[in-house]
Every structure is written in C-alpha cells, then in structure tokens.
Amino acid sequence: MCSSDLAYFFLIGRYGVRVGDRVTVAGVTGEVIEIGLVRLYLMELAGTGVDLHSTGRVAVFSNAVIFQPAALLKQAPGIEYTWHAVLTTLGAGIDCRAARTRLMGAVEAIYGSYREIIEQQHAAFEKSINLQMATPKPVARVHFTGAGCEILIRYPVEIEHTSDIDERIVKCLLEETGKEPKLSLAPGGAPRIQPAS
C-alpha cells in the first residue's frame, strides 16, 4: 500500500474531510469537490480573509500531502463563523479602562444581533465532538504604546455576513469615539478590521 492510499483512510476518518468542506492544503484554500483513493481535488478559492470566491481552477493533490509538515486545515463541521478583530488606537491622556468598556459595549451591541446563531452553531459542534468549550464572545485587550492606548477587540463573525458585520462594527466604534466625553484617536488610530489570530 502506498502513502497516498494510506492517507485516504486518514482523510475519510471520523473528523476527516468531506465533499463541500473548505480546507487549506499546502497554502491553497478551496472547497473539496472529490476525494479519490490517491488524489484530493479542490475548487480553488481566492480573496482575503473569509471573503473568498472561486478562481475557476481545480487544485489536485496527492493524498500523501497530509503527511507533510504543513497542516491540513478545515472549517469545523457546522461552524459557519470565524474570528475577526478591530484595532483602535486612542491618543494619550485617555482613561483606557473607561474607553475599553465603552468600545467593548459598542461591539457587544452589534454582536448581540447575531449572538444566538453563533451560540447555536457552537452548541451543535460541542455536541458532535462530545466536549465542552468556552462559548464564543467578544474579548478586549489593551496595549500601551508611544502613540497612546491600543484597544484590540476580537469577536466571532458569521462567514456569510462578514463584510456587513465588520462595516457595522467600524461605524459603531467611530460613533462611540465621537460621543461625550469624546475619545480622541491617535494619528492613524481609526478602527481597523483584521483577521484575528
């Protein structure tokens, strides 16, 4: 039995890959369109973050690719959300604790509009793997720099509505910084969305 044949059994195992799964193999992200005995076929996707679209190309890999040092990544079954972060840098002299509370409240208000969907997906995934994990929710971190106070807020975002949710969060944070007492932004410190690591 060659390594590609052996890898096939790893690929189709209990937590294995299924047709339709979104995976990343050897730096190529795509949707699985076929799993053969010796080859794995992906419809290649391009774009940034989770805003991906088909390139019209099919990537073909030997199943033995799973034995390489790079990981085979796939979205967990039933989980249709990912994590993003928004970074805001406030000017010097700001009460960072109060600012963190205000900005976190703004993000939580947006998250509240789709919280139930994320929690349902999370609960279904916990049940499928028979393991309890922390419920996804926004989390804030504060970091002090020479420019001022950086506030990074990580939050779960529905893959299907990523752009809309990110837009709403940035708008809400900008509105919050303009409310009295105003939170002055450091130069270049306006809210910026980034994939969360």
Side-chain angles (χ1 to χ4, degrees), residues 87-92 94 145-150 183-192:
L87 178 67
T88 307
T89 307
L90 303 173
I94 297 290
T145 68
C149 171
E150 285 185 350
L183 301 172
S184 64
L185 296 170
R192 313 180 283 292

Side-chain angles (χ1 to χ4, degrees), residues 5 7 20 40-42 82 85 87 101 108 123 136 142 146 150 157 164:
D5 295 336
L40 175 67
Y41 299 84
L42 305 181
T82 188
L87 178 67
T101 301
E108 285 175 334
V142 176
E150 285 185 350
V157 59
D164 176 54

Side-chain angles (χ1 to χ4, degrees), residues 40-62:
L40 175 67
Y41 299 84
L42 305 181
M43 175 60 70
E44 184 185 42
L45 300 174
T48 56
V50 292
D51 186 22
L52 300 173
H53 57 277
S54 172
T55 65
R57 300 187 302 189
V58 174
V60 182
F61 297 95
S62 164

Side-chain angles (χ1 to χ4, degrees), residues 3 28 52 71 77 106 112 114 144 149 164-166:
S3 60
V28 176
L52 300 173
Y114 62 93
F144 298 97
C149 171
D164 176 54
I165 292 168
D166 287 346

Side-chain angles (χ1 to χ4, degrees), residues 28-119:
V28 176
T29 298
E31 287 187 11
V32 177
I33 55 175
E34 184 179 337
I35 304 168
L37 189 57
V38 293
R39 290 185 188 84
L40 175 67
Y41 299 84
L42 305 181
M43 175 60 70
E44 184 185 42
L45 300 174
T48 56
V50 292
D51 186 22
L52 300 173
H53 57 277
S54 172
T55 65
R57 300 187 302 189
V58 174
V60 182
F61 297 95
S62 164
N63 288 347
V65 74
I66 69 166
F67 297 125
Q68 294 181 3
L72 168 72
L73 304 173
K74 83 168 211 167
Q75 190 75 16
I79 301 287
E80 296 298 324
Y81 66 86
T82 188
W83 288 86
H84 273 197
V86 60
L87 178 67
T88 307
T89 307
L90 303 173
I94 297 290
D95 178 352
C96 287
R97 179 174 284 177
R100 176 191 176 278
T101 301
R102 285 176 57 185
L103 296 182
M104 184 68 169
V107 171
E108 285 175 334
I110 301 295
Y111 178 63
S113 68
Y114 62 93
R115 173 191 319 265
E116 189 175 322
I117 294 165
I118 301 292
E119 289 178 352

